[in-house]
């Protein structure tokens, strides 16, 4: 079976030139083409669309009712094409469009939100939706264009790039620790109430870290929100495992067993491979990479910087 002929943007250019001038010869001069070529393009367009766009008469070409309707569509396409050309010439394609980014609550609120002014300044025409609900957004179902995740994606048609390592420690408020029993070893932690995630609502293996501190810790207060955990800990409810990059901002929080307990986790940026080179998505990936690189000290505590900067790897699965 033969495929039906398809019209191209060039055909629409010929159509617009004839519609505006009413003359094949004038349109041909504007397009730097020939009278015969213009006539052939118009005939092909009408054949492809199976509609009559022009009435031919001795005075020239006059739009039919369908041709008049079609010119509105052709002119919109012409405007978008001109905008595209201007964007390409200005190198601003990466600054247009909408990107939905899914990120963990801690990363979104305590890091990305702090660099949003720089993002807006660099990409004034790029709209952003930031999703922080505590679940894994489905890239395959296009619930998000881009995700920051704690665990490297395994399998599937995804691009993934490690953004950074980050560290977590056990923290308690100064007031709580001043009144509570002393803590000299991990066994002493069992005598203290813990604040943590709701176990069955942990949405990523990287957040399941109580057992890494002590296998017998049973939290007294649990929340799916890291912000709620932080607030409870600052208010003296008990001890909590918190990321250094935001717990260190609060002088009322003190590290517990600082020479013994330090957990390392990772943030990855990932998207569907089909979207990897989309300018709007690439712009966010590049911004996040540079923003994290410029703020390494937020994620890596001073006592581990001697080991060198966190290595970043690019992985495609």
């Amino acid at each position: 079976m033969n495929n039906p002929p398809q019209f191209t943007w060039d055909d629409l250019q010929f159509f617009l030139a004839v519609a505006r001038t009413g003359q094949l010869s004038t349109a041909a001069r504007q397009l730097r083409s020939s009278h015969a070529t213009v006539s052939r393009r118009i005939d092909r367009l009408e054949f492809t669309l199976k509609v009559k766009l022009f009435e031919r008469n001795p005075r020239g070409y006059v739009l039919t009712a369908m041709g008049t309707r079609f010119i509105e569509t052709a002119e919109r396409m012409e405007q978008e094409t001109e905008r595209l050309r201007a964007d390409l010439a200005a190198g601003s394609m990466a600054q247009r469009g909408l990107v939905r980014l899914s990120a963990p609550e801690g990363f979104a609120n305590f890091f990305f939100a702090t660099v949003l002014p720089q993002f807006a300044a660099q990409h004034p025409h790029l709209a952003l939706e930031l999703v922080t609900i505590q679940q894994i957004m489905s890239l395959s179902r296009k619930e998000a264009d881009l995700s920051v995740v704690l665990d490297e994606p395994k399998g599937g048609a995804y691009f993934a790039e490690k953004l950074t390592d980050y560290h977590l420690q056990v923290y308690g408020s100064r007031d709580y620790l001043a009144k509570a029993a002393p803590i000299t070893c991990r066994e002493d932690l069992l005598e203290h109430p813990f604040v943590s995630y709701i176990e069955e609502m942990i949405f990523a293996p990287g957040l399941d870290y109580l057992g890494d501190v002590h296998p017998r810790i049973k939290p007294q207060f649990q929340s799916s929100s890291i912000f709620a955990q932080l607030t409870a800990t600052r208010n003296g409810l008990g001890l909590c495992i918190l990321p250094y990059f935001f717990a260190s901002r609060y002088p009322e929080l003190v590290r517990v067993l600082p020479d013994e307990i330090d957990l390392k986790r990772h943030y990855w940026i990932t998207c569907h491979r089909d979207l990897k080179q989309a300018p709007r998505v690439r712009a966010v990936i590049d911004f996040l990479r540079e923003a994290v690189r410029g703020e390494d000290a937020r994620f890596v505590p001073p006592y581990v910087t001697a080991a060198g900067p966190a290595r970043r790897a690019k992985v495609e699965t």
Side-chain angles (χ1 to χ4, degrees), residues 25-193:
S25 57
T26 306
R29 285 195 298 272
Q30 290 182 355
L31 297 168
R32 297 182 180 180
S33 185
S34 67
H35 182 286
T37 298
V38 176
S39 177
R40 185 169 61 252
R41 288 297 190 97
I42 297 300
D43 291 343
R44 184 174 77 175
L45 183 59
E46 289 182 328
F47 175 77
T48 302
L49 297 175
K50 295 182 173 54
V51 296
K52 193 172 184 179
L53 300 173
F54 296 98
E55 293 288 352
R56 281 77 165 169
N57 61 49
R59 295 189 305 274
Y61 278 50
V62 179
L63 285 166
T64 63
M66 184 58 70
T68 300
R69 289 178 57 188
F70 189 67
I71 197 172
E72 297 175 1
T73 299
E75 285 181 336
R76 285 198 298 271
M77 294 179 69
E78 180 184 55
Q79 291 169 2
E80 289 300 318
T81 300
E82 290 303 317
R83 181 181 300 174
L84 176 63
R85 287 172 177 167
D87 287 339
L88 289 171
S92 61
M93 277 304 296
Q95 299 180 356
R96 294 190 182 277
L98 171 68
V99 176
R100 175 175 288 180
L101 171 66
S102 169
E105 184 187 17
F107 182 89
N109 290 336
F110 294 99
F111 176 72
F112 190 53
T114 66
V115 296
L116 277 175
Q118 296 98 295
F119 179 84
Q122 291 181 27
H123 304 286
H125 303 298
L126 185 61
L128 183 71
E129 294 179 348
L130 181 59
V131 180
T132 61
I133 54 177
Q134 299 299 297
Q135 67 181 46
I136 299 176
M137 299 292 285
S138 173
L139 295 173
S140 61
R141 294 198 302 270
K142 304 301 173 65
E143 292 175 349
D145 299 306
L146 200 59
S147 290
V148 174
V149 296
L150 291 94
D151 302 293
E152 180 185 358
K154 302 292 186 183
Y158 300 106
F159 162 80
E161 178 176 330
K162 184 178 172 184
L163 281 176
T164 187
D165 298 326
Y166 71 98
H167 291 250
L168 305 101
Q169 296 85 24
V170 177
Y171 287 89
S173 72
R174 292 184 186 277
D175 288 344
Y176 170 81
L177 292 172
K179 300 173 184 177
I183 304 172
T184 60
C185 65
R186 294 195 188 215
E187 289 297 319
D188 292 340
L189 296 175
L190 300 178
E191 305 301 320
H192 294 261

Side-chain angles (χ1 to χ4, degrees), residues 173 229-238 250 252-253:
S173 72
Q229 295 176 42
L230 171 67
T231 302
T233 307
R234 292 177 64 201
N235 287 325
L237 193 61
Y250 301 95
E252 67 270 28
L253 294 180

Side-chain angles (χ1 to χ4, degrees), residues 5 10 51 87 96-97 132 147 174 180 204 222 238 255 258 267 270-271 304:
D10 283 340
V51 296
D87 287 339
R96 294 190 182 277
T132 61
S147 290
R174 292 184 186 277
Q222 300 172 77
R255 287 178 59 208
Y267 284 126
T270 181
C271 67
V304 297

Side-chain angles (χ1 to χ4, degrees), residues 297-317:
R298 288 203 201 185
F299 296 98
V300 183
Y303 54 84
V304 297
T305 54
R311 295 181 61 189
R312 295 180 175 82
K314 295 184 179 180
V315 177
E316 282 195 46
T317 57

Side-chain angles (χ1 to χ4, degrees), residues 156-312:
Y158 300 106
F159 162 80
E161 178 176 330
K162 184 178 172 184
L163 281 176
T164 187
D165 298 326
Y166 71 98
H167 291 250
L168 305 101
Q169 296 85 24
V170 177
Y171 287 89
S173 72
R174 292 184 186 277
D175 288 344
Y176 170 81
L177 292 172
K179 300 173 184 177
I183 304 172
T184 60
C185 65
R186 294 195 188 215
E187 289 297 319
D188 292 340
L189 296 175
L190 300 178
E191 305 301 320
H192 294 261
F194 260 79
V195 175
S196 188
Y197 284 103
I198 302 172
E199 185 174 356
E200 58 266 30
M201 291 187 179
I202 292 176
F203 61 91
L207 296 178
D208 190 10
Y209 36 58
L210 272 184
D212 291 344
V213 173
H214 197 294
R216 296 204 313 257
I217 291 177
K218 300 296 181 184
Q220 179 174 321
F221 172 72
Q222 300 172 77
S223 173
S224 62
S225 167
I226 191 65
F227 186 79
Q229 295 176 42
L230 171 67
T231 302
T233 307
R234 292 177 64 201
N235 287 325
L237 193 61
L239 305 179
C240 185
I241 302 171
L242 294 168
Y244 166 82
F245 72 89
F246 61 82
S248 59
R249 299 182 181 189
Y250 301 95
E252 67 270 28
L253 294 180
V254 178
R255 287 178 59 208
V256 174
L257 300 179
D259 298 327
E260 188 172 344
I261 298 175
D262 180 79
L263 307 179
K264 185 167 73 171
R265 295 293 188 268
H266 323 283
Y267 284 126
W268 295 79
I269 185 75
T270 181
C271 67
H272 198 279
R273 191 180 297 161
D274 291 344
L275 286 176
K276 175 188 171 186
Q277 295 303 331
R280 60 189 176 88
V281 173
R282 193 73 238 176
V284 179
I285 293 174
D286 291 344
F287 176 84
L288 279 172
R289 184 195 303 115
E290 293 305 315
V292 169
R293 183 175 297 162
E295 298 287 349
D296 263 340
R298 288 203 201 185
F299 296 98
V300 183
Y303 54 84
V304 297
T305 54
R311 295 181 61 189
R312 295 180 175 82

